[in-house]
Amino acid sequence: MEANPTKQVPATLPLSMPIGEMTPEQAGYTALHLLAYMNKSGLTAAAGFLPEYADAEGYDTAALTAMAAKLRYFAETLEKSAKGKATAEVMIYGRDGVTRHGVKLVASEYVRYDYANNAHWNELNEVVGNATAARKVHERYLDTCPHEGRVRVDEQTGEAVRDYPPVRIAQDIIKATIL
């Protein structure tokens, strides 16, 4: 099926209808339309303004974080499901790409290199793997050290070294799980 760049998402949506009365498709297109016609500065301003407005008006600001989690999930899922068809469509326009709703879409090549056919690289990779495994063992050892530290003998130098447990660094975050 050939892409039709002039065909847009339907604009005749019941915008005056309460969202609760819309079908999921209508509500989805309405939300997409609202976002599609905002530029980057508008999106940034809205994202910055909403928490301040909600707080000032006594609305539930935690709900904004919940909505952001849903939007992130929706955007990631939408991008994955549209990527194949969109890539084929954007390729029609060549390397210059195409602009839709203020977003430049350019097809580009994803390149990665496989170095596994080089013996020296494989040796170095093994060293990295062994060092990573040794670091994890040492981290587990440090996790068991008491607060006052533990003395051990450095295998390289024979010197006595006092090891302390890792410093705990914590901050409050919000974890969001869509139910």
Side-chain angles (χ1 to χ4, degrees):
M1 184 170 146
E2 196 167 310
N4 181 353
T6 60
K7 187 173 182 180
Q8 299 291 320
V9 174
T12 56
L13 294 173
L15 295 177
S16 60
M17 180 187 299
I19 295 236
E21 295 176 18
M22 292 182 187
T23 67
E25 293 81 11
Q26 290 171 325
Y29 279 128
T30 301
L32 284 176
H33 264 255
L34 292 174
L35 291 173
Y37 291 102
M38 294 176 79
N39 62 20
K40 188 175 184 177
S41 64
L43 291 168
T44 302
F49 168 79
L50 282 173
E52 298 298 325
Y53 175 79
D55 187 47
E57 295 296 319
Y59 291 113
D60 181 6
T61 54
L64 291 174
T65 301
M67 287 185 267
K70 283 186 168 186
L71 282 170
R72 186 172 29 262
Y73 171 79
F74 175 78
E76 289 168 358
T77 305
L78 177 61
E79 187 175 30
K80 286 177 190 173
S81 65
K83 187 175 256 176
K85 291 181 181 180
T87 300
E89 182 179 338
V90 172
M91 291 295 284
I92 294 170
Y93 298 97
R95 295 287 179 203
D96 292 335
V98 63
T99 300
R100 293 285 189 269
H101 297 290
V103 177
K104 179 81 171 180
L105 303 170
V106 178
S108 64
E109 192 176 50
Y110 173 73
V111 177
R112 62 183 203 91
Y113 296 93
D114 182 4
Y115 299 99
N117 64 347
N118 182 274
H120 185 63
W121 183 90
N122 285 322
E123 291 169 9
L124 293 171
N125 195 43
E126 186 176 339
V127 169
V128 168
N130 292 338
T132 300
R135 183 180 65 196
K136 287 183 182 186
V137 167
H138 190 67
E139 287 172 353
R140 285 193 294 274
Y141 159 76
L142 291 173
D143 288 340
T144 66
C145 287
H147 180 68
E148 64 276 1
R150 180 183 296 144
V151 176
R152 71 172 169 84
V153 177
D154 186 303
E155 295 174 9
Q156 302 284 335
T157 65
E159 180 182 344
V161 177
R162 181 171 292 274
D163 290 323
Y164 294 94
V167 176
R168 184 177 186 272
I169 301 170
Q171 67 181 33
D172 292 330
I173 61 169
I174 297 174
K175 292 184 178 180
T177 304
I178 299 173
L179 306 175

